[in-house]
Amino acid sequence: MASNGATVHVSEEDRARADQIKDAANKLYAAKSYQEAIDKYAEAIQVNPQVPSYYTNRSICYIKTEAFGYAIADAEKAIEIDPNFVKGYYRRAIANMALCKFKESLRDFRIVVKYAPSDKDAKAKMLECEKIVRRIAFEQAIEHNDTTPSIVESINLDLMTIEDNYDGPRIKDNHIDEAFLKDMLQRFEDQKKIHKKYAFMIILAVREMMLEAPSLIDITIPSDARITVCGDVHGQFYDLMHIFKLNGLPSPTNMYLFNGDFVDRGSFSLEVVLTLFAFKWLYPNYFFLARGNHETDNMNKVYGFEGEVKAKYSEMMFKLFSETFNALPLAHVIQEKILVVHGGLFSKDDVTLDDIRQIDRIKLRQPGSDGLMCELLWSDPQPEPGRGPSKRGVGVQFGPDVTKAFLERNNLDMLIRSHEVKENGYVIEHDGKCVTVFSAPNYCDTVGNMGALINITPDLHMDYKTFEAVPHPNVRPMQYASQFGGMLGI
């Protein structure tokens, strides 16, 4: 049935042709050519819009490309055509889980198990989902109110003794130096840990800095320096080291801004974030960090960072990371002219830089599903004018006219953002006013994309560098992810 209740008549010839197109789309999906498969499934749907499997097949492609909002819409169309089509509920459950909408996901998994009681995989996922929902309800009941003490009150560095057999770098006089940092990087490359006391010291130092920082930070590049803007790194530590080898280690003249999504998916997220935090401690005025949508509790539960920190250190350390992520700035303005945010722009027209400055991110803690903080972390550009519903199901999509108006209103020249994989590592769009930079090459070891970074001089000359992935130890992406996170690997 069509959505308006009218029957769509499809000839036998069109049914056969649509099936042939669907078979071609299936081959593209098997080859991991997801965007091409999406386009081909759309062709099949155009010829015969009555087959629910065409929509669920396209839905899984959208899941693979992180367009979870579109995946949910396709799953719902399949359910509309056939309310007994189990795969529609299954796809919607997976997409909602990817968005950390655990209750909605659980509701659909229960329907799947009801229709397919012998499906052990679906039952296991339902039970896992139930466990997450119960855990979140428990956590919300006991914490995160204004009287809840910080985890910092439970941390006593004096009680953390350094064992005689510890052969790693040591922090002296309670302050980090370049020698410690270089030794730490080498130790991480050798797949060894630093002592938990030093890891806690690094996180605590950065937490204190971030609590004192505004939500929007103004960056001035000294006349003898440059700043490098990097996008998502996603736990790809060895690629992060490659960035530093290509572009130089951070210093007062070789400044860096890492634009969110340091963690999750990649299985060396702890090494990445400790490296970035250590450089922030060493060079507080020359090294900058912005919050991404993956520096959030729900994403860390699903996509691996929480599991990784617990496996390598402790739950207490993850809670300290969570508090520190809550304090990360949301935006930076370079030389008063370039706004840098992780996701993008807003669902309303009148937003100013002062509105961003006034976001009380410390009180809000998590970005939620709407509002300025959410949109800063989740929104994406679109080629069409105006705004559209988010392909991800969170935030908005904004067109070139929205970008132009925002920049003019705030006396800015350009928007730099990250948040999306790009085949060549970066894309310039919206008449040159919106740049996406992504710094995790061969994302999740499967996508084959380049990574990129942007060097910016005091006169705002921009130089784009691209790079390929480098080898890393044989630890798969999503190694520490929940059952659902493992399903959501690209």
Side-chain angles (χ1 to χ4, degrees), residues 283-357:
Y283 299 121
N285 299 316
Y286 305 102
F287 194 89
F288 301 92
L289 301 171
R291 190 176 193 176
N293 65 302
H294 275 268
E295 279 71 53
T296 54
D297 286 353
N298 280 348
M299 302 301 277
N300 296 160
K301 290 181 196 305
V302 172
Y303 290 95
F305 183 60
E306 180 177 5
E308 182 180 345
V309 177
K310 288 180 177 179
K312 293 178 179 178
Y313 285 100
S314 66
E315 182 175 7
M316 178 181 285
M317 185 176 288
F318 174 73
K319 288 182 177 180
L320 181 60
F321 271 120
S322 173
E323 285 193 13
T324 307
F325 289 167
N326 290 344
L328 287 170
L330 305 175
H332 293 78
V333 173
I334 299 172
Q335 301 292 82
E336 300 182 342
K337 287 299 180 184
I338 300 174
L339 175 66
V340 187
V341 302
H342 179 72
L345 299 181
F346 310 99
S347 56
K348 56 183 183 178
D349 287 329
D350 58 350
V351 178
T352 66
L353 295 182
D354 281 341
D355 291 327
I356 299 173
R357 287 189 179 95

Side-chain angles (χ1 to χ4, degrees), residues 174-364:
N174 292 318
H175 196 74
I176 202 167
D177 59 23
E178 191 174 318
F180 171 87
L181 218 155
K182 287 183 177 179
D183 287 346
M184 183 185 78
L185 297 185
Q186 185 58 57
R187 191 168 180 85
F188 286 166
E189 288 201 62
D190 295 338
Q191 289 189 270
K192 296 179 181 179
K193 297 189 295 183
I194 58 171
H195 195 277
K196 67 178 181 180
K197 180 173 184 176
Y198 301 135
F200 273 113
M201 288 175 71
I202 291 168
I203 307 164
L204 287 166
V206 171
R207 175 184 175 275
E208 188 173 337
M209 288 180 192
M210 296 307 183
L211 285 172
E212 296 173 357
S215 289
L216 184 151
I217 293 180
D218 293 288
I219 299 175
T220 300
I221 309 171
S223 59
D224 61 343
R226 69 177 184 184
I227 190 166
T228 299
V229 179
C230 295
D232 305 37
V233 180
H234 273 303
Q236 297 183 197
F237 174 74
Y238 294 85
D239 294 309
L240 173 63
M241 292 301 96
H242 188 51
I243 288 173
F244 291 147
K245 287 168 187 170
L246 286 174
N247 199 63
L249 286 171
S251 74
T253 57
N254 196 34
M255 303 162 67
Y256 279 86
L257 165 54
F258 281 85
N259 195 29
D261 281 14
F262 323 131
V263 301
D264 283 339
R265 293 202 180 270
S267 294
F268 301 95
S269 291
L270 182 66
E271 290 79 4
V272 165
V273 73
L274 284 176
T275 296
L276 299 180
F277 278 16
F279 274 118
K280 180 62 181 175
W281 190 11
L282 181 61
Y283 299 121
N285 299 316
Y286 305 102
F287 194 89
F288 301 92
L289 301 171
R291 190 176 193 176
N293 65 302
H294 275 268
E295 279 71 53
T296 54
D297 286 353
N298 280 348
M299 302 301 277
N300 296 160
K301 290 181 196 305
V302 172
Y303 290 95
F305 183 60
E306 180 177 5
E308 182 180 345
V309 177
K310 288 180 177 179
K312 293 178 179 178
Y313 285 100
S314 66
E315 182 175 7
M316 178 181 285
M317 185 176 288
F318 174 73
K319 288 182 177 180
L320 181 60
F321 271 120
S322 173
E323 285 193 13
T324 307
F325 289 167
N326 290 344
L328 287 170
L330 305 175
H332 293 78
V333 173
I334 299 172
Q335 301 292 82
E336 300 182 342
K337 287 299 180 184
I338 300 174
L339 175 66
V340 187
V341 302
H342 179 72
L345 299 181
F346 310 99
S347 56
K348 56 183 183 178
D349 287 329
D350 58 350
V351 178
T352 66
L353 295 182
D354 281 341
D355 291 327
I356 299 173
R357 287 189 179 95
Q358 290 165 15
I359 296 172
D360 191 348
R361 70 193 192 284
I362 309 298
K363 183 177 180 180
L364 289 170

Side-chain angles (χ1 to χ4, degrees), residues 52-61 74-75 78 85 87-88 91:
S53 64
Y54 295 175
Y55 296 92
T56 54
N57 286 5
R58 189 170 66 174
S59 180
I60 189 60
C61 294
D74 267 357
F85 193 66
K87 197 169 283 187
R91 294 280 188 261

Side-chain angles (χ1 to χ4, degrees), residues 34-217:
Y34 300 125
Q35 188 55 55
E36 292 88 343
I38 287 168
D39 296 339
K40 191 61 72 171
Y41 286 126
E43 281 185 45
I45 289 167
Q46 188 76 24
V47 175
N48 183 4
Q50 292 182 314
V51 182
S53 64
Y54 295 175
Y55 296 92
T56 54
N57 286 5
R58 189 170 66 174
S59 180
I60 189 60
C61 294
Y62 282 134
I63 288 170
K64 291 293 187 180
T65 56
E66 302 185 14
F68 303 119
Y70 290 174
I72 290 169
D74 267 357
E76 289 176 344
K77 184 63 180 176
I79 293 167
E80 178 188 323
I81 294 169
D82 181 358
N84 297 317
F85 193 66
V86 176
K87 197 169 283 187
Y89 299 99
Y90 186 85
R91 294 280 188 261
R92 189 168 67 181
I94 297 301
N96 272 317
M97 179 57 67
L99 293 170
C100 300
K101 295 181 177 180
F102 303 109
K103 289 182 180 178
E104 293 90 334
S105 184
L106 177 57
R107 189 160 52 239
D108 278 336
F109 275 125
R110 284 174 173 163
I111 293 172
V112 173
V113 169
K114 178 182 176 182
Y115 279 113
S118 61
D119 188 332
K120 294 181 180 178
D121 180 66
K123 188 171 184 179
K125 290 178 174 61
M126 181 189 74
L127 295 174
E128 177 75 8
C129 197
E130 286 178 341
K131 187 165 65 175
I132 293 174
V133 169
R134 284 196 303 269
R135 178 180 159 198
I136 290 172
F138 175 74
E139 290 173 349
Q140 289 175 341
I142 65 170
E143 66 180 24
H144 288 334
N145 59 60
D146 291 338
T147 61
T148 302
S150 165
I151 192 65
V152 173
E153 296 181 24
S154 304
I155 298 170
N156 189 334
L157 295 176
D158 293 335
L159 296 180
M160 297 182 191
T161 56
I162 309 298
E163 297 80 3
D164 291 340
N165 63 353
Y166 174 69
D167 61 351
R170 297 172 184 250
I171 293 176
K172 301 171 185 175
D173 302 322
N174 292 318
H175 196 74
I176 202 167
D177 59 23
E178 191 174 318
F180 171 87
L181 218 155
K182 287 183 177 179
D183 287 346
M184 183 185 78
L185 297 185
Q186 185 58 57
R187 191 168 180 85
F188 286 166
E189 288 201 62
D190 295 338
Q191 289 189 270
K192 296 179 181 179
K193 297 189 295 183
I194 58 171
H195 195 277
K196 67 178 181 180
K197 180 173 184 176
Y198 301 135
F200 273 113
M201 288 175 71
I202 291 168
I203 307 164
L204 287 166
V206 171
R207 175 184 175 275
E208 188 173 337
M209 288 180 192
M210 296 307 183
L211 285 172
E212 296 173 357
S215 289
L216 184 151
I217 293 180

